[in-house]
């Protein structure tokens, strides 16, 4: 039994660290222009995988406090959302590389114009996958937010703020579909949700690494 608890606790610690790294990688790939393209792609491909591990750890911890239906749905939707994120980033980057290679090989303006039109149409596929990712991930974080708000170890306000940001991002995506909220001239709440998630995982890490005893009733 002790070995099982130790294994679970290690998974939770790994999940907390993975969560922090996933958000750092997300922002680094999105906003740091000096990072080489190959490194930016690696960060983009990696952060959804780390997110899956982070969800595993957070789910395991919250489940020991209160195993609720909303937590089960949050966990499942989070895993699906992360998988979709990896898919659309891979499709996006592949399209960009293929388009750049084809444009360099084109020997006329007509050919380049045709390539630009083709790229615009193909690129809508990853844009649609991006919306699918937002749907799953916002529902996941909304439900995680509810469970975080009810947790003994987290802050109630922190959980409800996550619910509010998630609901706002979901609503904006539905209102502007298929155009992204930012492209429609509205506020993009994605970075705000990312910052909130970073706070959650930092808080989670503090609980696991600093508190010898949590109020879950299991000694760490």
């Amino acid at each position: 039994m002790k070995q099982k608890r130790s294994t679970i606790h290690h998974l939770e610690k790994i999940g907390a660290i993975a969560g922090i790294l996933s958000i750092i990688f997300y922002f680094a790939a999105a906003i740091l222009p000096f990072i080489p393209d190959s490194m930016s792609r690696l960060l983009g491909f990696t952060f959804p995988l780390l997110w899956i591990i982070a969800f595993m750890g957070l789910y395991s911890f919250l489940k020991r406090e209160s195993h609720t239906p909303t937590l089960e749905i949050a966990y499942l939707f989070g895993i699906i959302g992360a998988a979709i994120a990896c898919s659309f980033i891979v499709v996006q980057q592949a399209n960009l590389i293929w388009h750049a290679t084809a444009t360099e090989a084109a020997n006329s303006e007509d050919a380049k114009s045709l390539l630009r039109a083709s790229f615009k149409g193909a690129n809508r596929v990853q844009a649609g996958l991006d919306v699918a990712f937002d749907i799953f991930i916002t529902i996941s974080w909304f439900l995680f937010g509810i469970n975080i708000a009810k947790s003994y170890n987290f802050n109630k306000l922190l959980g409800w703020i996550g619910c509010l940001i998630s609901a706002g991002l979901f609503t904006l995506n539905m209102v502007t579909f298929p155009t992204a909220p930012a492209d429609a001239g509205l506020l993009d709440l994605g970075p705000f949700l990312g910052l909130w998630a970073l706070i959650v995982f930092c808080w989670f890490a503090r609980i696991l690494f600093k508190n010898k005893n949590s109020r879950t009733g299991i000694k760490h």
Side-chain angles (χ1 to χ4, degrees):
M1 187 67 176
K2 280 187 176 180
Q3 184 178 4
K4 181 179 180 181
R5 288 179 178 177
S6 177
T7 300
I8 291 173
H9 187 51
H10 287 317
L11 172 63
E12 291 166 359
K13 284 186 173 181
I14 293 169
I17 295 171
I20 294 171
L21 290 176
S22 70
I23 304 301
I24 292 174
F25 287 5
Y26 163 74
F27 280 115
I31 65 177
L32 296 182
F34 55 83
I35 295 180
D37 289 343
S38 57
M39 179 60 68
S40 181
R41 282 194 295 271
L42 179 61
L43 294 176
F45 296 161
T46 303
F47 94 78
L49 306 181
L50 290 172
W51 223 343
I52 292 174
I53 300 171
F55 281 136
M56 291 173 66
L58 184 59
Y59 163 76
S60 173
F61 182 81
L62 292 172
K63 183 175 71 171
R64 289 188 292 119
E65 283 191 350
S66 180
H67 194 181
T68 65
T70 55
L71 183 61
E72 287 291 333
I73 298 170
Y75 176 55
L76 179 60
F77 276 37
I79 299 297
I80 295 173
I84 294 175
C86 188
S87 299
F88 92 73
I89 292 171
V90 169
V91 171
Q92 177 194 68
Q93 293 303 310
N95 281 342
L96 289 171
I97 293 172
W98 291 332
H99 176 65
T101 301
T103 300
E104 287 179 5
N107 52 17
S108 69
E109 283 301 319
D110 288 340
K112 291 180 180 180
S113 178
L114 179 60
L115 285 171
R116 283 193 294 269
S118 300
F119 173 75
K120 186 176 181 180
N123 200 47
R124 289 178 179 175
V125 174
Q126 67 87 14
L129 286 172
D130 192 1
V131 175
F133 159 65
D134 282 341
I135 290 172
F136 276 96
I137 213 66
T138 52
I139 294 174
S140 173
W141 275 128
F142 181 87
L143 297 177
F144 264 121
I146 292 174
N147 287 272
I148 287 170
K150 295 179 179 179
S151 169
Y152 295 116
N153 290 282
F154 287 92
N155 180 272
K156 185 180 293 291
L157 181 60
L158 179 66
W160 294 126
I161 288 174
C163 291
L164 183 63
I165 297 174
S166 298
L169 181 56
F170 178 87
T171 302
L172 288 175
N173 270 280
M174 295 302 97
V175 169
T176 63
F177 182 82
T179 305
D183 294 336
L186 298 178
L187 179 65
D188 183 7
L189 292 176
F192 293 95
L193 184 59
L195 286 173
W196 176 82
L198 179 59
I199 294 172
V200 167
F201 288 125
C202 287
W203 196 305
F204 185 32
R206 182 187 65 82
I207 293 170
L208 296 172
F209 287 96
K210 288 191 176 181
N211 295 353
K212 290 184 179 180
N213 296 302
S214 72
R215 293 177 64 183
T216 60
I218 295 179
K219 292 184 178 180
H220 296 312

